[in-house]
Amino acid sequence: MLFVFFIQWWLPFVGPPTPQFREQVIDSTVSIGYGVALGDVDGDGSPDIMLADKKQIVWYRNGDWKRRVIAENLTGHDNVCIAAQDINGDGKVEVAVGAQWNPSETSNAEQSGAIFYLKRPVDPQQLWEPVRLPHEPTTHRMKWVKSASGQYYLVVLPLHGRGNKGGEGAGVKIMAYEYAANKKGEWKTYVLDSAMHLTHNFDFKRSGNEKQSGLYVAGKEGVRFIATGFPEQTTGKAEILKGIEQGAGEVRVGSLAAGKDFIATIEPMHGTAVVVYLKNEGDAKRVVLDDDVKEGHALAVADFLGVGSDQVVAGWRSPDKEGKVGVKLYVKTGAGGMQWQSYWIDNNGMACEDIQVMDLNGDGKPDIVASGRATKNLKIYWNTSGQ
């Protein structure tokens, strides 16, 4: 009995385990590495890595991690983003990409922005057929999203509204493209919101409470929310989230213990601060995890440590005040989410452009994949925490 009492007394004082990751360089010849996506390309049951590089869309097969080209030279300007998701349940991802990256041109859609659905061949190691979809200028980010009705949409976020200069002018048209069974057929389009300016990234959160399931969009006005009732129930205007109105470039939604969510951001766009917002009686409590990054450009959340609460991983692409680029993990150390501790994942070896998270080897632990801009690399950080 005394032994049981000792265990019960001690457990509340035991902190989270120390994060441990093993680095593996997958590619050291990346041109820019604009966007990373993860999913099963060849249907072998293991997730692969996809990359939207400067002029090529490529994938790396799980195991040998060799670079294979899906598409190249889609437009005169660079590729900029990629979305991958198994839409039809066949065990293989559907892929869409954004290209013609020309952010200074906000009016001419021919010279700025492009969206392609990539139609897969029988052999995914061959070139995929690009199917062009209509678009707004400055196409920047995209995700496959399943609405409340069960229909899949490709949601696309431009950087600017048409004719927008310096974040002023027309609002950004956040578009949803209804996935067409006939890949070359018409994809119906819907405007989900057009009130925000200078938007940069967004996240999708599926919740048990359907009213809390939806898109969280980061931009000049802060973070706003669009419920997954779209397009049938969309109002055309995203909901303002009280207390989360500082300009932000990156956003992800994570979970604390007891089913409470938090919103993680990098502020402002291409910013210096890694922040979490905690719900607080209709408002939000802002907690700064780090204010020393420079050009923060990548963000993800997951329970890397298996503690029942998510941690935050962030990457930046320009040297900070110590002359370092890199990736850090932020771990909650106290009850309520007010105290966090940072750990290096990559100390000055990754000028981070994008980060994605998935269990790549089936051990039940989320791994990290990051692409580097100035460092021109693609890495896996294998999660070995607890070993």
Side-chain angles (χ1 to χ4, degrees):
M1 183 64 68
L2 289 176
F3 177 74
V4 173
F5 174 80
F6 176 78
I7 292 295
Q8 291 176 337
W9 174 84
W10 175 252
L11 281 177
F13 297 89
V14 177
T18 301
Q20 294 180 318
F21 290 84
R22 175 177 57 83
E23 174 186 305
Q24 181 179 357
V25 178
I26 298 302
D27 193 341
S28 58
T29 64
V30 170
S31 295
I32 292 180
Y34 283 104
V36 175
L38 306 176
D40 192 348
V41 175
D42 55 359
D44 67 353
S46 297
D48 307 297
I49 299 173
M50 288 150 278
L51 181 69
D53 208 358
K54 183 178 176 67
K55 287 297 183 181
Q56 293 183 324
I57 306 296
V58 300
W59 70 286
Y60 305 81
R61 186 165 60 189
N62 193 319
D64 64 28
W65 304 115
K66 292 181 179 179
R67 182 179 176 116
R68 296 166 170 85
V69 177
I70 292 177
E72 56 188 340
N73 300 319
L74 291 171
T75 58
H77 293 286
D78 294 355
N79 303 313
V80 68
C81 57
I82 183 168
Q85 177 75 40
D86 179 8
I87 302 300
N88 56 19
D90 67 352
K92 294 175 280 190
V93 292
E94 278 68 48
V95 179
V97 298
Q100 194 74 334
W101 179 232
N102 186 15
S104 62
E105 175 54 68
T106 63
S107 300
N108 189 332
E110 291 185 3
Q111 293 300 317
S112 178
I115 300 171
F116 297 92
Y117 174 81
L118 299 182
K119 185 178 178 183
R120 68 167 52 242
V122 175
D123 179 0
Q125 299 188 75
Q126 302 300 313
L127 291 177
W128 297 33
E129 178 186 351
V131 178
R132 187 182 288 267
L133 302 178
H135 72 279
E136 289 293 305
T138 68
T139 300
H140 186 244
R141 291 290 182 264
M142 57 175 53
K143 292 182 187 293
W144 293 104
V145 173
K146 191 176 184 180
S147 77
S149 66
Q151 173 66 46
Y152 271 101
Y153 295 86
L154 179 68
V155 177
V156 179
L157 185 70
L159 188 68
H160 294 286
R162 280 185 182 255
N164 195 322
K165 299 297 182 183
E168 301 291 338
V172 174
K173 287 186 178 180
I174 304 173
M175 304 290 292
Y177 294 72
E178 184 174 340
Y179 176 69
N182 177 2
K183 312 306 185 301
K184 290 187 177 181
E186 179 184 357
W187 293 51
K188 295 180 181 178
T189 60
Y190 305 86
V191 179
L192 302 183
D193 181 73
S194 59
M196 297 183 71
H197 298 80
L198 198 56
T199 53
H200 191 261
N201 212 334
F202 68 104
D203 194 20
F204 170 68
K205 173 71 174 182
R206 173 69 69 191
S207 173
N209 182 347
E210 197 58 48
K211 291 183 179 180
Q212 296 178 358
S213 295
L215 307 175
Y216 292 77
V217 185
K220 180 181 177 181
E221 290 86 0
V223 178
R224 294 190 177 181
F225 174 73
I226 302 173
T228 54
F230 63 76
E232 301 89 349
Q233 302 170 21
T234 183
T235 63
K237 187 175 181 180
E239 175 187 348
I240 296 173
L241 299 180
K242 188 177 179 182
I244 315 180
E245 298 168 54
Q246 295 200 44
E250 308 297 326
V251 60
R252 293 291 183 266
V253 183
S255 296
L256 296 173
K260 294 183 179 180
D261 289 344
F262 66 85
I263 294 176
T265 63
I266 293 179
E267 299 174 354
M269 190 180 87
H270 296 175
T272 57
V274 182
V275 177
V276 297
Y277 288 91
L278 310 172
K279 292 182 179 180
N280 184 28
E281 297 181 358
D283 207 333
K285 176 67 176 178
R286 183 174 184 265
V287 182
V288 178
L289 309 188
D290 195 338
D291 58 3
D292 289 329
V293 305
K294 188 172 181 182
E295 282 202 64
H297 205 264
L299 192 65
V301 296
D303 185 3
F304 298 98
L305 305 181
V307 295
S309 180
D310 287 343
Q311 297 85 52
V312 177
V313 59
W316 64 100
R317 64 186 188 183
S318 289
D320 61 16
K321 65 182 181 181
E322 295 182 353
K324 294 181 178 181
V325 295
V327 178
K328 281 186 176 181
L329 185 72
Y330 303 87
V331 179
K332 181 174 69 70
T333 58
M338 295 298 294
Q339 292 84 39
W340 298 69
Q341 182 173 347
S342 67
Y343 297 86
W344 281 103
I345 300 296
D346 194 315
N347 188 339
N348 206 34
M350 170 59 63
C352 196
E353 186 74 8
D354 194 22
I355 279 175
Q356 297 295 330
V357 171
M358 185 176 284
D359 179 6
L360 296 178
N361 57 5
D363 66 354
K365 300 177 183 179
D367 304 299
I368 300 169
V369 179
S371 58
R373 190 180 183 98
T375 47
K376 298 186 177 301
N377 50 4
L378 179 70
K379 295 183 182 183
I380 300 174
Y381 304 96
W382 296 103
N383 187 353
T384 60
S385 304
Q387 294 184 4

